[in-house]
Amino acid sequence: MAGFRESFGLVRNLNWYPKHMNTGLKQMQAKLRSVDCVLEIHDARVPLSGRNPNFSHLLVGDKPHIVVLNKVDLISGESKRKIKEIYEKTVTKNLIFTNCKNDQDPGIKKIVPMVRDMIENSNRYHRAGMEEYNAMIIGIPNVGKSSFINITRAKNLKKATSLKVAPSAGVTKMVHMKVKISNDPIIFLYDTPGILTPRVTDPTAALKLAVCGSFPDHDVGLMLIADYILFTLNRQKNYKYTSLLGLEEPCDCITTALTKGAIHLNKMQQQRSMALGSGLHKKPNFEYMSKMFIEKFRKAEFGKIVLDDLDQFTQFEQCNDDFELKENEVFERSGNN
Ligand SMILES: Nc1nc2c(ncn2[C@@H]2O[C@H](COP(=O)(O)OP(=O)(O)OP(=O)(O)O)[C@@H](O)[C@H]2O)c(=O)[nH]1
Ligand SMILES: [Mg+2]
């Protein structure tokens, strides 16, 4: 559409590396010695931006390694095919797509046999006499690590949910006691906190992660997240949002789109304004509107959308963070805990 943005423009750096990530990373490194297999999990909507090869290498080393692309229910079959091709060419063929919201998911059923085979066929281990296998799940915040453990445990052991899950980033704050997910063979899985790069070097990639909930929404800004969603939808010529917001035509300005939407949905709020005398006047409830817009996107109500451009993929961006910051180098924001 003429006049629409070609690029998103300048964005401030989004950094979120609270103390629990630094501590969690150290706990994960300490646990590695007793881990036989690492499961690296990503949100399938950001298969490229969500993966930092340095981080993966740091925690995987030469251990058996499986990549899980979770939230496959939120992407199309065509995107899944392209992601599979990219990962098989550049990362690993040991790849599983999962939907942790569905206990009949075929990907979930493959986990235990795959972990077993990977460990038993690994040269690194002499598994004879081993009574149990330990695996660790790693990934950025909110990709579904805890959900993954809960559902594999429920599926294989018929045992109820044990780990806390929520739609916001930073729910798991420490490396947990290992959780049994299978009896035959006995497999335990360590849940871990979501870890982001200490300094995110690509602000656009960070925004995509923010859209998927890997940063706290309020730290990033609800309007900014909503704007990036609007930009993405327009770039993909997906105008489903117009009927929700009561727009006559697509719009590339988030303030206009949400203002019209607030009028359409009767989400205006009374406000006293000194500038306009002491009277009350109505203004759009931008917080409500942005939240609603973000929620709809996250539930795939505008369609199954991948935020990365899979057709432009060349290689996974190397990011030079060493992840071994000293305590006083930790970047802290207000609200860390
Ligand atoms: N649609 C969909 N949602 C999922 C899936 N897996 C997990 N979720 C949701 O994603 C959100 C985050 O799940 P968690 O399991 O808490 O993610 P986490 O990686 O453990 O998050 P942190 O502990 O904060 O790092 C929750 O709202 C889950 O219900 C999935 O396969 N599909
Ligand atoms: Mg968790």
Side-chain angles (χ1 to χ4, degrees):
M1 184 136 317
F4 276 23
R5 289 169 287 183
E6 291 287 318
S7 65
F8 192 67
L10 281 182
V11 202
R12 70 181 166 86
N13 272 344
L14 299 178
N15 286 310
W16 187 53
Y17 194 69
K19 236 181 219 158
H20 81 254
M21 288 192 195
N22 202 42
T23 320
L25 186 58
K26 285 180 184 153
Q27 292 172 338
M28 287 154 83
Q29 286 175 305
K31 277 277 183 290
L32 268 182
R33 256 173 281 126
S34 60
V35 164
D36 307 305
C37 177
V38 178
L39 304 175
E40 173 190 330
I41 183 165
H42 300 287
D43 185 321
R45 293 168 299 173
V46 278
L48 311 180
S49 311
R51 180 166 198 270
N52 178 335
N54 288 9
F55 171 61
S56 307
H57 182 74
L58 178 73
L59 287 168
V60 173
D62 58 354
K63 288 183 191 286
H65 168 220
I66 296 170
V67 170
V68 179
L69 271 309
N70 190 35
K71 308 200 182 184
V72 68
D73 52 307
L74 303 179
I75 66 166
S76 69
E78 175 60 4
S79 301
K80 183 177 165 186
R81 191 191 58 71
K82 288 182 184 169
I83 297 168
K84 186 166 186 287
E85 201 177 303
I86 291 173
Y87 267 76
E88 286 189 344
K89 256 194 212 144
T90 57
V91 185
T92 178
K93 288 198 162 43
N94 301 313
L95 187 67
I96 299 184
F97 288 86
T98 54
N99 170 5
C100 291
K101 294 277 204 184
N102 173 11
D103 59 8
Q104 296 306 314
D105 181 60
I108 299 294
K109 287 187 194 154
K110 290 186 195 154
I111 296 296
V112 166
M114 196 158 178
V115 170
R116 183 199 55 217
D117 292 352
M118 296 277 306
I119 297 174
E120 290 179 355
N121 296 329
S122 157
N123 296 333
R124 197 185 138 91
Y125 298 99
H126 302 287
R127 285 284 139 195
M130 280 291 295
E131 280 164 10
E132 60 184 53
Y133 301 152
N134 294 311
M136 181 161 78
I137 190 157
I138 62 169
I140 63 174
N142 206 43
V143 292
K145 297 176 293 301
S146 304
S147 304
F148 179 90
I149 296 180
N150 287 339
I151 195 166
T152 42
R153 177 177 162 86
K155 182 87 205 145
N156 296 305
L157 300 181
K158 312 281 176 267
K159 293 253 168 80
T161 302
S162 55
L163 299 166
K164 193 174 164 199
V165 163
S168 51
V171 172
T172 307
K173 290 202 166 38
M174 55 185 280
V175 177
H176 278 265
M177 297 290 291
K178 53 191 186 181
V179 174
K180 199 196 250 187
I181 58 156
S182 157
N183 270 330
D184 183 23
I186 298 177
I187 301 177
F188 288 95
L189 198 43
Y190 287 105
D191 194 11
T192 64
I195 309 278
L196 284 165
T197 320
R199 290 178 204 85
V200 180
T201 42
D202 177 352
T204 309
L207 259 182
K208 293 178 187 174
L209 306 191
V211 167
C212 295
S214 288
F215 286 83
D217 289 348
H218 276 98
D219 274 22
V220 179
L222 293 169
M223 282 280 265
L224 179 59
I225 300 174
D227 192 20
Y228 194 76
I229 292 173
L230 182 67
F231 166 75
T232 304
L233 293 173
N234 285 334
R235 293 288 295 163
Q236 299 192 6
K237 298 189 172 36
N238 175 339
Y239 305 127
K240 289 187 182 144
Y241 64 87
T242 51
S243 61
L244 169 78
L245 300 178
L247 305 176
E248 279 164 13
E249 55 179 7
C251 167
D252 203 24
C253 168
I254 192 68
T255 312
T256 308
L258 295 186
T259 300
K260 289 187 174 169
I263 295 166
H264 177 66
L265 297 169
N266 199 17
K267 294 294 170 193
M268 304 293 285
Q269 52 186 187
Q270 298 271 22
Q271 204 182 47
R272 197 171 292 281
S273 163
M274 289 306 174
L276 301 173
S278 55
L280 292 171
H281 75 285
K282 284 189 170 178
K283 71 174 254 255
N285 187 339
F286 283 122
E287 171 151 353
Y288 175 92
M289 290 301 300
S290 309
K291 262 193 200 157
M292 184 206 59
F293 196 63
I294 295 167
E295 261 331 282
K296 299 262 177 207
F297 179 89
R298 288 179 180 163
K299 287 187 183 152
E301 290 186 22
F302 300 132
K304 298 188 173 200
I305 293 161
V306 168
L307 290 150
D308 290 321
D309 188 348
L310 302 173
D311 297 320
Q312 296 298 317
F313 175 80
T314 46
Q315 59 176 39
F316 280 100
E317 290 302 322
Q318 290 292 332
C319 150
N320 293 326
D321 285 309
D322 62 6
F323 281 99
E324 291 182 281
L325 299 182
K326 296 185 184 76
E327 211 68 54
N328 60 4
E329 280 184 300
V330 174
F331 181 92
E332 289 193 43
R333 297 176 65 93
S334 58
N336 287 346
N337 44 20

